[in-house]
Amino acid sequence: MRHVPAGRAAALDRADETVDRLLDAGREPGAVLVLTVGAAHPWQQHELSFGEERYWAQLTEGGDVFYADAELARPVRRSVVVLVVNGGSAARAAAAYAKALRHAEELLVVCGGTDPAVAGASLAAAGAPAPRVLPA
């Protein structure tokens, strides 16, 4: 897990920078899932403007970075999940963190929010495995 410190107002920008770095490092776009705790990512809003059916088809196709709300109910696993803590309550952020950890196969990057040690402690209290912290 990696943590990218940012306030709520800057969390989306840090997430976009993180996605760019992941792609520049050779990650395939379809390997990345971006989840927001607060307001929807602007790209998600854009894609939804073409209709729900087309939006969800992109998830199934898996060829591009997919942007969704952290409460995503559909089963999806991607190599990398970028969790954007850009709003919502602390309880919602903690629940989103636990869920994002289950969606991530290799790496979870948390942009904004609390220190990952705090999130890890809340997961441990809930009986979830502690995340492995990777260098930035």
Side-chain angles (χ1 to χ4, degrees):
M1 188 198 88
R2 293 182 191 160
H3 181 242
V4 179
R8 289 178 180 210
L12 280 172
D13 289 337
R14 298 298 82 76
D16 288 342
E17 292 166 5
T18 297
V19 169
D20 288 344
R21 280 194 303 273
L22 289 164
L23 298 176
D24 289 346
R27 294 278 182 174
E28 292 295 321
V32 180
L33 173 66
V34 178
L35 301 174
T36 53
V37 174
H41 189 283
W43 193 251
Q44 178 187 0
Q45 295 171 5
H46 170 76
E47 292 300 324
L48 280 167
S49 72
F50 298 106
E52 291 270 338
E53 185 175 321
R54 181 66 206 130
Y55 171 74
W56 291 113
Q58 288 182 351
L59 176 63
T60 303
E61 293 163 3
D64 206 353
V65 176
F66 191 78
Y67 296 84
D69 186 276
E71 293 183 359
L72 177 68
R74 297 179 185 233
V76 60
R77 299 221 358 118
R78 295 278 173 102
S79 295
V80 180
V81 174
V82 177
L83 178 64
V84 187
V85 184
N86 61 327
S89 67
R92 186 170 192 275
Y97 177 86
K99 192 170 192 178
L101 196 59
R102 291 189 300 272
H103 286 298
E105 294 174 342
E106 297 175 24
L107 175 65
L108 170 61
V109 181
V110 179
C111 297
T114 60
D115 183 282
V118 174
S122 66
L123 280 176
R132 195 175 93 194
V133 178
L134 300 174

